[in-house]
Amino acid sequence: MLNENIRAIRRAKGLSQEELAIKLNVVRQTVSKWEQGRSVPDSDMLIALSEALETPVSTLLGETVVEATADDWRAIAEKLEIINLQLAQRKETRRRIARGLLIALCIVIAVIFLALYFSGSTYLAWDYSDPETAVVGVAFHALEWLFARVAPIIFIIAVIGIVLTRKKP
């Protein structure tokens, strides 16, 4: 059982007998003898073997290690391919949503600018002698002033975002 476990774990780690022997400071033939069951490592070497293979000693001694077959690798590769496709679809969906929101933001800013342009700031002609009308008129003027200063910056940033989120060939 020990010999089978050493061989299976070494192969699973992608090590040759020579590479494992170098890690353990022994000759390749020693590793070969362990794997053939013609000899066994002593307790100190078993600990070193465990560390070199990054595997608990209990696994080396008792638990049977099943070697992965080509079908197992194929199944894992297919699952990874499915996961990669799902991640790509999720990324594409997020890109489309972000692009759509940026386009909508540009449209909203343009519509508000047009509405403000064609309304001509009618609140400026209001009678400001009434305190309530004065407060509302000042609020409208402050909002218009703030929008006229901030909206172009947001619009430019949104256009840059639209360009950056375009679908790349």
Side-chain angles (χ1 to χ4, degrees), residues 14-32:
L15 293 172
S16 67
Q17 287 182 346
E18 182 70 30
E19 291 168 330
L20 181 58
I22 291 170
K23 283 186 172 189
L24 298 171
N25 293 323
V26 296
V27 294
R28 185 200 58 78
Q29 288 81 358
T30 303
V31 175
S32 176

Side-chain angles (χ1 to χ4, degrees), residues 1-7 9 20 23-26 30-31 34-35 39-63:
M1 182 165 305
L2 175 63
N3 60 331
E4 296 168 359
N5 289 344
I6 293 172
R7 180 184 302 118
I9 294 169
L20 181 58
K23 283 186 172 189
L24 298 171
N25 293 323
V26 296
T30 303
V31 175
W34 292 339
E35 290 183 359
S39 71
V40 292
D42 63 12
S43 59
D44 291 335
M45 188 54 70
L46 191 60
I47 292 170
L49 186 61
S50 167
E51 291 171 357
L53 294 174
E54 300 171 344
T55 305
V57 173
S58 61
T59 302
L60 289 172
L61 291 175
E63 299 173 14

Side-chain angles (χ1 to χ4, degrees), residues 102 105-106 109 146-147 149-161:
L102 290 170
L105 179 63
C106 287
I109 289 173
L146 183 64
F147 183 79
R149 279 13 175 224
V150 174
I153 296 168
I154 294 173
F155 187 83
I156 291 169
I157 292 171
V159 169
I160 291 170

Side-chain angles (χ1 to χ4, degrees), residues 68-78:
T69 63
D71 290 336
D72 293 339
W73 291 114
R74 192 172 296 117
I76 290 171
E78 288 172 1

Side-chain angles (χ1 to χ4, degrees), residues 98-129:
R99 187 174 173 87
L101 289 173
L102 290 170
I103 290 171
L105 179 63
C106 287
I107 292 171
V108 167
I109 289 173
V111 167
I112 292 173
F113 258 119
L114 290 173
L116 289 174
Y117 178 76
F118 286 116
S119 71
S121 302
T122 56
Y123 59 86
L124 294 176
W126 292 353
D127 179 19
Y128 282 86
S129 60

